[in-house]
Amino acid sequence: MSVTSTASSSEAVVLVVEDEPAIATAIAQRLASEGWTVEIAADGHAGIAAAHRLRPDLVVLDLMLPGIDGLEVCRLIQAERAVPVLMLTARDDETDVLVGLGVGADDYMTKPFSMRELVARSKALLRRTERALRAAEASAANQPGEPPIAIGDVLIDRAQRRVSRAGAQVHLTPTEFDLLVTLASSPRTVLTRERLLAEVWDWVDASGTRTVDSHIKALRRKLGADLIRTVHGVGYAFEPPAGTED
Ligand code: CA
């Protein structure tokens, strides 16, 4: 396994949706210096059109946009196609609201942020997408993948990246899926937010723990509130559904 960036991440196409020209340009220049192809859209409508046309590998999306706001842009872009979204907010309390809503963004950064951190998080999102793609390709080629995880009425098909509960298919984003697999691989074990960030998001620093909270919220909304237990001040644990035999 290679530890350097793969061909596809060095050729990544990134869409930046940001209405403040100075910030948009600074972001685009920094990401382009990684060798990525970067396009800027200055409002929500332009962002949706550009996502449709470019089929980017990553979208860096400002929350406060003229016209359609970032939340709705995120929803419309992801309804068309699974693409990781890194959401930019102006204040910590905006991030809190998004976390409360459990929107589909894969990561959040509050302005002002360091460009170095933006690049690190972008790379982490691109790496995870590549892993998911490789798993899908192996599955399509009928190569043996990782065995499914079955706990009570929850079935996680890792090869096909599909989840069902009580026989009903549940649609998860790639990040939500990776988080669920990480938790369900160690049932009843409390995993800290820092560890989840490291394993699911590939981060080494722990400055984005609310990103974890946001995705836990989304998993509970989609799969049922009983599956993931909060251990206050520590982290989260996957709890087998009631009636599951050990
Ligand atoms: Ca803005």
Side-chain angles (χ1 to χ4, degrees):
M1 207 166 127
S2 170
V3 290
T4 55
S5 63
T6 62
S8 49
S9 83
S10 65
E11 293 161 11
V13 175
V14 183
L15 171 63
V16 177
V17 188
E18 164 66 79
D19 59 310
E20 293 165 68
I23 297 175
T25 305
I27 291 172
Q29 284 176 347
R30 186 64 183 82
L31 298 183
S33 75
E34 296 297 317
W36 300 338
T37 303
V38 185
E39 183 159 321
I40 297 171
D43 63 47
H45 288 288
I48 292 161
H52 179 74
R53 174 170 46 83
L54 286 174
R55 301 180 64 79
D57 302 297
L58 171 69
V59 177
V60 177
L61 176 59
D62 186 35
L63 175 65
M64 299 300 285
L65 293 167
I68 312 178
D69 72 10
L71 269 189
E72 185 66 1
V73 173
C74 180
R75 196 184 67 73
L76 290 169
I77 286 177
Q78 292 192 326
E80 178 175 299
R81 182 173 155 263
V83 56
V85 172
L86 173 51
M87 184 83 82
L88 307 178
T89 68
R91 299 188 313 265
D92 276 346
D93 57 348
E94 284 179 355
T95 303
D96 291 336
V97 171
L98 299 185
V99 166
L101 291 170
V103 295
D106 295 89
D107 199 357
Y108 303 92
M109 293 184 78
T110 304
K111 296 173 181 174
F113 48 80
S114 82
M115 287 295 167
R116 194 167 154 269
E117 192 173 0
L118 177 77
V119 169
R121 294 198 188 187
S122 298
K123 283 183 175 172
L125 287 173
L126 290 168
R127 274 197 301 274
R128 286 195 307 108
T129 309
E130 281 162 25
R131 281 208 300 269
L133 278 176
R134 277 197 296 274
E137 280 165 9
S139 168
N142 278 322
Q143 290 166 6
E146 293 171 292
I149 300 173
I151 303 175
D153 61 359
V154 180
L155 179 63
I156 306 170
D157 181 340
R158 285 187 285 184
Q160 306 267 353
R161 293 183 68 85
R162 284 190 189 141
V163 178
S164 65
R165 179 149 200 207
Q169 200 82 24
V170 180
H171 176 75
L172 300 182
T173 69
T175 301
E176 289 161 6
F177 182 86
D178 290 342
L179 178 60
L180 178 66
V181 167
T182 303
L183 287 163
S185 297
S186 309
R188 295 199 175 89
T189 306
V190 181
L191 301 179
T192 63
R193 290 185 178 85
E194 290 75 16
R195 178 161 165 199
L196 291 168
L197 275 174
E199 291 198 9
V200 178
W201 281 264
D202 260 353
W203 291 3
V204 283
D205 80 84
S207 59
T209 49
R210 278 174 311 178
T211 293
V212 178
D213 301 339
S214 161
H215 286 81
I216 293 284
K217 203 142 212 161
L219 281 180
R220 284 178 173 149
R221 196 184 60 220
K222 293 178 178 182
L223 280 164
D226 58 322
L227 286 183
I228 300 167
R229 183 165 60 92
T230 301
V231 182
H232 286 288
V234 184
Y236 298 101
F238 184 91
E239 291 297 319
T244 305
E245 286 177 34
D246 280 311

